[in-house]
Every structure is written in structure tokens, then in C-alpha cells.
Amino acid sequence: MSESSLAEMLRARGLRLTAQRQLVLQAVLDLGHATPEQVHTAVREVAAGVNITTIYRTLELLERLGLVTHTHLSHGSPTYHAAGEDQHVHLVCRECGAVDEIDPDLLRPLADRLADQRGFRVDIGHVSLFGVCGRCQNGEPT
């Protein structure tokens, strides 16, 4: 997203484009998948005075604007990524912590069955499956 597009989107909601907002969005785009703490570390390399509270508030704002989304890849902080990315399911290795992505169509039959039988609509873009990756199962170094 361009700086002018972000500025227009914020102005339409009565908000300003601040350096912090711009830096947080750019950090998420650059990092791909990042916790607020990782975003904070990246932003502090450019603007040392930005605190973690500002990062959390900005991520919440960017999510309300539809620019980023989050998922939970562990028991800790949520992980944010650009909302414009294709939806994907996260595969999280409990051994080494590696995160891989798969096409959500693999879960479509399950999602459709849950909708039919339970009236429950799965948000596939927020699904994380936990297990052990092939490298860890084979004793390969990560």
C-alpha cells in the first residue's frame, strides 16, 4: 500500500498518517509474519522512541482498517501479517517453532461439513495447526 493510499484511508476516518503508523505497517509488510514484539524491534531500529504500547494500538488500528490481520501461532502474542495476502493455514512445529503455510482449500471439506452439520463458519485465514514438522521427525537440524 502506498503512503498516499494509507493517508487517504486514515483521513476518511478522521485520523492522521503518523510516522509511527507508517513504520508499523512497513515493519509488518517487511517481516511477513511478526509478533508485536518483533514489530517493535524493527520499528525501534528506525525510531528509538516508539514504545510497545504504541505498537499494539497501531496494530489494532491497522487491523480495523483491514490492512493487517492476526492469528495465534503459540500461547504467546498474536502474529500479524498483511491482510492483502492470500489466506493460508499455518502449520506450526512444536519442536523447532518453524511456521509453514498451506492452501486453505485443503481444509475446505472440513469447513463445509462444519457449516452443514453445525451451522459453524470457520475463519480459515486464522487457522493454525500444531504438530511436528518432517525435519524434526527425521532428526534433521533446523
Side-chain angles (χ1 to χ4, degrees):
M1 164 169 277
S2 71
E3 184 177 325
S4 61
S5 298
L6 178 58
E8 289 171 20
M9 185 180 286
L10 289 167
R11 267 196 303 273
R13 296 180 186 228
L15 302 168
R16 294 182 303 115
L17 174 60
T18 64
Q20 290 92 345
R21 290 172 179 163
Q22 198 171 355
L23 288 170
V24 169
L25 179 58
Q26 191 60 52
V28 172
L29 296 173
D30 291 346
L31 294 169
H33 289 86
T35 64
E37 291 77 15
Q38 291 167 324
V39 171
H40 184 233
T41 299
V43 168
R44 288 195 58 182
E45 289 178 10
V46 179
V50 178
N51 64 41
I52 191 71
T53 304
T54 299
I55 300 297
Y56 273 98
R57 286 184 185 147
T58 303
L59 287 168
E60 289 173 7
L61 171 66
L62 294 173
E63 189 162 27
R64 282 194 312 270
L65 293 172
L67 299 173
V68 301
T69 188
H70 78 276
T71 190
H72 293 273
L73 301 180
S74 67
H75 295 293
S77 298
T79 299
Y80 288 83
H81 59 275
E85 293 180 358
D86 292 332
Q87 282 198 335
H88 50 269
V89 175
H90 298 94
L91 302 177
V92 183
C93 179
R94 289 190 189 276
E95 298 288 322
C96 69
V99 179
D100 199 2
E101 299 172 2
I102 60 170
D103 189 319
D105 286 342
L106 289 171
L107 294 185
R108 182 65 49 211
L110 173 62
D112 291 344
R113 188 169 178 191
L114 288 170
D116 291 343
Q117 293 181 0
R118 302 283 180 116
F120 187 84
R121 190 171 143 229
V122 176
D123 182 358
I124 292 179
H126 282 93
V127 172
S128 298
L129 300 173
F130 294 83
V132 179
C133 72
R135 286 194 316 245
C136 288
Q137 288 181 50
N138 295 326
E140 297 173 20
T142 55

